[in-house]
DNA sequence: GTCTATATAAGGATAGAC
DNA sequence: GTCTATCCTTATATAGAC
């Protein structure tokens, strides 16, 4: 991903994304980031006023990436019910690939206690977008099947959201995958599907 | 809670519990802890070899306190179904009282990425105990009602656990209480109770 | 824009007197 | 056990040359 033509700012951001996620925000220093990115401290501060500014851009960048990936995945499945049912297995595979480090936005919220900070606002914003994507997916599902028409869209959406977040958090704590086996069953039950 | 007869070690631990939870582990320095506890740095290091050792004792102490509180709450409700249904509202009130700072053990896991560290082991241990308490509560419930006998104890337990963790995490991100309104409904549905 | 060198504060941890 | 004083490292951030 990083070659000689990559701009300094992109190199920094790319490296920060990796390190902040893998090690945590407060545990990662500027020095390590610039060492790994292969740039100087002066160059860093010419692109970012403070570490918090980098932290904010990290979240924004990561949010775009995750949401884009999610939208692309869902758009490739035509059948609404299949789309709904494949959501959880996809998150499961993603969690495995991240070494069970959990949700970047929840992790950041744990490290930045000030609920009014821009960083926390960005984390909240990501979840709102995430929730919106889920809501649209479920709206399509309810519209596609007369048997599901009477279900409460917002309620199912929020239950679905909580199941995913709960599974990601539990997988992080236990460093195990079973939360997703249960999550798959739970989302089936949400729409009265046999498990 | 802290008076002149409180031992130095207890003063440090008590203060650390407050600060680590409210501000996060890596964002809280030894200096702030000893300042607020009113003890010296030398006294601190005569009781704790390292900051990590204090972090570990913080988790142990907090785990005991939370689990004891939970057990006491549950033991005061005689009817198994009522006990089950009152669990979520109790967590909800607790989350409100903590200013939506979420689960201390999940937060710590977000800050300490090394899954093999003693701190992470302690967080995992807390969740295992938490899960055991839930399992016993649900075992009593299933035994008390013939209509519930056929339900899968472990499955309901893990679903219940994920609902609670998901609600706590979502409440922390959004700084709102609605995840618990949904959680209450979800735990009812788990045992085929009308919402 | 990018570099090296430096400023300044805070981090965790230790030494030695009482 | 507790204190003050100090060590060493690392943190974020800046200054000034190229």
């Amino acid at each position: 991903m990083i070659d000689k033509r990559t701009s300094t700012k992109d190199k920094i951001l790319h490296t920060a994304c990796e390190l902040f996620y893998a090690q945590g925000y407060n545990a990662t220093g500027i020095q390590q980031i610039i060492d790994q990115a292969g740039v100087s401290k002066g160059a860093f501060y010419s692109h970012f006023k403070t570490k918090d500014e980098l932290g904010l851009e990290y979240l924004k960048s990561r949010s775009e990436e995750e949401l884009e990936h999610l939208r692309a995945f869902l758009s490739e499945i035509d059948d609404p019910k299949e789309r709904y049912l494949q959501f959880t297995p996809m998150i499961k595979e993603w969690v495995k690939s991240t070494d069970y480090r959990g949700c970047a936005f929840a992790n950041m919220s744990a490290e930045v206690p000030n609920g009014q900070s821009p960083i926390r606002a960005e984390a909240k914003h990501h979840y709102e977008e995430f929730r919106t994507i889920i809501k649209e997916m479920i709206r399509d599902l309810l519209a596609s099947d007369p048997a599901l028409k009477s279900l409460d869209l917002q309620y199912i959406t929020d239950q679905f959201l909580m199941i995913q977040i709960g599974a990601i958090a539990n997988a992080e704590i236990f460093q195990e995958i079973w939360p997703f086996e249960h999550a798959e069953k739970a989302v089936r039950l949400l729409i009265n599907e046999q498990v």
Side-chain angles (χ1 to χ4, degrees), chain A:
Chain A
M1 274 318 180
I2 292 187
D3 61 28
K4 284 179 181 172
R5 298 200 326 242
T6 306
S7 78
T8 297
K9 183 163 184 176
D10 284 347
K11 278 193 272 191
I12 294 169
L13 192 53
H14 179 90
T15 308
C17 280
E18 263 186 42
L19 293 176
F20 283 158
Y21 183 66
Q23 305 182 341
Y25 178 66
N26 287 321
T28 303
I30 304 290
Q31 191 64 51
Q32 189 187 5
I33 293 171
I34 63 173
D35 284 351
Q36 188 162 318
V39 302
S40 70
K41 197 161 276 193
F44 174 88
Y45 280 101
S46 83
H47 289 289
F48 301 94
K49 268 208 293 292
T50 63
K51 183 187 178 183
D52 274 3
E53 194 172 298
L54 175 63
L56 187 59
E57 292 221 29
Y58 152 65
L59 285 194
K60 281 184 183 170
S61 155
R62 194 169 174 107
S63 176
E64 277 176 33
E65 194 183 313
E66 283 190 17
L67 296 175
E68 207 41 65
H69 176 261
L70 180 58
R71 287 193 192 98
F73 176 84
L74 295 176
S75 72
E76 281 190 2
I77 305 174
D78 288 329
D79 180 54
K81 184 169 285 181
E82 195 56 23
R83 202 185 297 145
Y84 175 89
L85 293 175
Q86 286 305 312
F87 190 104
T88 311
M90 189 271 280
I91 301 285
K92 176 171 72 173
E93 292 310 310
W94 169 78
V95 162
K96 282 185 191 171
S97 76
T98 67
D99 231 3
Y100 300 83
R101 261 300 279 164
C103 170
F105 306 89
N107 289 351
M108 190 65 126
S109 295
E111 294 213 60
V112 180
N114 175 10
Q116 308 306 312
S117 70
I119 281 181
R120 287 294 297 270
E122 183 59 35
K124 189 173 170 178
H125 178 251
H126 171 82
Y127 269 65
E128 280 161 357
E129 294 284 305
F130 189 54
R131 195 182 178 194
T132 299
I133 291 175
I134 291 170
K135 191 172 183 176
E136 280 168 14
M137 174 185 75
I138 295 177
R139 176 181 290 129
D140 289 347
L141 173 63
L142 300 193
S144 74
D145 185 344
L148 301 175
K149 248 186 183 161
S150 63
L151 294 179
D152 181 335
L153 172 61
Q154 189 62 58
Y155 173 73
I156 307 274
T157 297
D158 289 334
Q159 292 288 7
F160 189 94
L161 174 63
M162 282 209 290
I163 290 166
Q164 303 301 328
I165 302 303
I168 294 170
N170 268 287
E172 183 179 10
I173 294 276
F174 285 105
Q175 303 269 290
E176 288 165 4
I177 208 64
W178 62 258
F180 284 95
E181 315 299 343
H182 292 327
E184 288 189 48
K185 290 188 193 172
V187 302
R188 282 177 182 272
L189 286 175
L190 259 188
I191 57 165
N192 309 316
E193 193 83 354
Q194 288 306 310
V195 298

